[in-house]
Amino acid sequence: MKSTEFHSADYDAHGRLRLPVLFWCLLLLQARTWVLFVIAGSSREQGNTLLNLFYPDHDAFWLGLLPGVPAVLAFLLSGRRFAFPGLWRWLRGFLILAQLVLLCWQPVLWLGGDPVNGVGLALLVADAVALVWLLTNPRLRACFSIEKE
C-alpha cells in the first residue's frame, strides 16, 4: 500500500517504492575501497601505484574492504530485494553498522599517526552525513521495510 507521504514519482511501474538516488551515492561512499580496487584492477600498469598511493599499508587496504561488504551486497540485491525480503530488511542494519565503522575509522587512523589532511576530513564529514541520512530518511526506511503483497 502506498504511503501518502511519498510522491507518485517515488514508485516504479509495479507500485513499489524506488530506492532514493542518494542511496546509490551512499553505497559508493561505503564501498570506496572496493571502487579503488576495481579501478586499480582495470588499469593494469598503474594499478599497484594507485593502491600504494591510497593505501601504503597493505593491511589497511584489506581491512578497508570489510566495511564495504554490506554496500556491495546491497548493490547486488537491490534489483531483487523483493525476492529476499528477510535479508533485505536486515541489510539496513548492516549498512548502519558499516557506516559507524567508517565514521570511526578515520579518527583511529589519525590516532595511529596518520596526518590529518583535507581528504580525511572530507571523508569524516561525508561519513557523518551519510550515517545521519541512513538513520533518518523515511523513504529509505520504507524501502527496507517491504510489505507482503
Side-chain angles (χ1 to χ4, degrees), residues 74-85 88 146:
F75 177 76
L76 293 173
L77 286 178
S78 62
R80 307 258 314 140
R81 60 187 165 141
F82 295 97
F84 304 99
W88 182 254
I146 297 173

Side-chain angles (χ1 to χ4, degrees), residues 47-138:
N48 198 28
T49 306
L50 188 63
L51 287 177
N52 285 331
L53 177 66
F54 288 99
Y55 288 98
D57 177 14
H58 293 290
D59 291 337
F61 170 75
W62 295 111
L63 285 174
L65 290 173
L66 289 176
V69 170
V72 171
L73 188 59
F75 177 76
L76 293 173
L77 286 178
S78 62
R80 307 258 314 140
R81 60 187 165 141
F82 295 97
F84 304 99
L87 180 58
W88 182 254
R89 198 174 359 261
W90 278 89
L91 197 52
R92 180 172 176 262
F94 288 124
L95 288 170
I96 291 169
L97 179 63
Q99 196 61 50
L100 277 169
V101 168
L102 287 169
L103 183 61
C104 296
W105 183 281
Q106 202 63 45
V108 166
L109 290 176
W110 292 333
L111 290 172
D114 281 8
V116 178
N117 58 26
V119 173
L121 288 171
L123 285 173
L124 183 71
V125 170
D127 286 335
V129 169
L131 180 61
V132 169
W133 187 79
L134 254 174
L135 290 170
T136 61
N137 188 275

Side-chain angles (χ1 to χ4, degrees), residues 10-89:
D10 294 338
Y11 294 90
D12 64 12
H14 302 288
R16 297 176 179 158
L17 197 56
R18 294 178 198 261
L19 289 162
V21 173
L22 284 178
F23 176 70
W24 304 107
C25 297
L26 178 118
L27 292 184
L28 284 175
L29 180 67
Q30 282 194 357
R32 56 189 174 240
T33 305
W34 286 88
V35 172
L36 179 65
F37 182 62
V38 169
I39 291 171
S42 65
S43 61
R44 293 183 181 111
E45 295 161 8
Q46 289 94 10
N48 198 28
T49 306
L50 188 63
L51 287 177
N52 285 331
L53 177 66
F54 288 99
Y55 288 98
D57 177 14
H58 293 290
D59 291 337
F61 170 75
W62 295 111
L63 285 174
L65 290 173
L66 289 176
V69 170
V72 171
L73 188 59
F75 177 76
L76 293 173
L77 286 178
S78 62
R80 307 258 314 140
R81 60 187 165 141
F82 295 97
F84 304 99
L87 180 58
W88 182 254
R89 198 174 359 261

